[in-house]
Amino acid sequence: MSVAHDSLPQPRRFAPAGPLSGAIRVPGDKSISHRSLMLGALAVGETRVTGLLEGEDVLATAAAMRAMGATIDRLPHGEWVISGVGVGGLLQPGAPLDMGNSGTSTRLLMGLVASHAITATFVGDASLSKRPMARVIEPLSQMGAEFSGDNGDRLPLTLRGICPAAPITYRLPMASAQVKSAVLLAALNTAGTTTVIEPVPTRDHSERMLRGFGADLSVTEKDGERVITLSGPAELKAQTIEVPGDPSSAAFFVVAALIVPGSDVTIANVGLNPTRAGLFDVLRQMGGQIEEVNPRVVGGEPVADLRVRHSALTGIAVDPAIAPSMIDEFPVLFVAAAIAHGTTVTSGLDELRVKESDRLTAMAEALTLAGARVEEREDGLVIHGTGGTPLPGTPAGAAVVTHLDHRIAMSMAVAGLASTGGVEVDDIRPIATSFPNFLSLLESLGG
């Protein structure tokens, strides 16, 4: 599923509406939701999941796992029940697997299919079909999978899996949790030991969840690098999973509360996995008041409620080493930086040029249109803050171009709340792909 190609763009103006206050709960973590469905579908027995993110990206994963033999049902009260086929039990899908706009679904499912003796064709929407897949094709080809398509490494792509696949030792050439996860998922049905060497740590949901489902996985450190080994074939056992709130979704409300004067907002049940929560650390360095209430551990993942109050932020130079733990949160960090005192410098963000859009250029143009002072560099943005005064907003008749990118649409919606004239966003349809109830939650806080 993806933004309907035949429906018309839905522009919307986001205007200031006074302080934000109240308590909300954001949808379940997207990364954990995808992996719950995939691992549940490969486990023996019945996996039960509550708090699953029911956005289009995750539903694309559910549809693909059903197409390959798993039984996946949503009960009326929102719990999901998955009857798995067992590792090695995936069936040949009868039609192409439609990934919609989901790069995560595509790359992880390619890993799953690679070590099964089945053939699957992956298709996606216009935005996903522009995204490079070479980064997963390379290691999966080393394991014996074959890829073919008419557009180089772009979708549509047909993957011919192989069983038995060959175990490999693979050093990640770039920080990518998706590539790491694809190789580990392929290793589940591969006899022997597969090793992934990670020079820069990335989000580790796959490692935590694979262990939780019973895979023989170990993580060690050698010469400052993470070494992840998985011995296959694995036998996964069904689990009961409570998906924590997505920190990437919470990020928009955290920034909104920090930059809208008088705001005091609590966001319940937010996942605070250290490989994902970098944004909150950076915002605290800038002076943001973000308090962790009732910290706890759920399913191997740290969780807390976040209480966030309006704060005077100060620009900083963001350490590039923290980038992998907040790569999806930079668009909304740029909004916070635009309202801060002084200058914020970001670097090491080349990865943002190959997301749903080129997020560096898109955010530089969007914030400039809304009246912010932004310099675009090759690997980051330099943002000169307003010193706490609101942005002017977009001129009449001009709208921010979102490039069908949900995070740009939501980030600029937040910018509109901290502007004098409001910010016009050209199309809010993409928000549904990752965060279906974003607008209603914003309205419930007074935004």
Side-chain angles (χ1 to χ4, degrees), residues 203-238:
R203 54 182 69 176
D204 65 355
H205 303 299
S206 292
E207 295 95 307
R208 288 175 186 247
M209 292 185 72
L210 282 164
R211 260 204 220 107
F213 272 87
D216 180 5
L217 179 142
S218 71
V219 182
T220 54
E221 221 166 274
K222 187 179 176 189
D223 303 330
E225 298 181 320
R226 287 178 85 231
V227 180
I228 305 143
T229 57
L230 193 151
S231 298
E235 275 188 46
L236 303 185
K237 296 174 194 65

Side-chain angles (χ1 to χ4, degrees), residues 233-281:
E235 275 188 46
L236 303 185
K237 296 174 194 65
Q239 301 294 311
T240 299
I241 297 170
E242 183 191 342
V243 180
D246 195 323
S248 298
S249 296
F252 300 102
F253 296 97
V254 169
V255 169
L258 288 174
I259 65 176
V260 175
S263 296
D264 187 343
V265 170
T266 298
I267 307 157
N269 194 47
V270 180
L272 295 176
N273 181 310
T275 63
R276 293 287 303 286
L279 174 74
F280 307 134
D281 295 334

Side-chain angles (χ1 to χ4, degrees), residues 372-387:
R373 291 168 52 217
V374 183
E375 296 169 45
E376 183 179 348
R377 294 183 180 168
E378 190 51 44
D379 68 339
L381 300 184
V382 177
I383 300 177
H384 305 285
T386 61

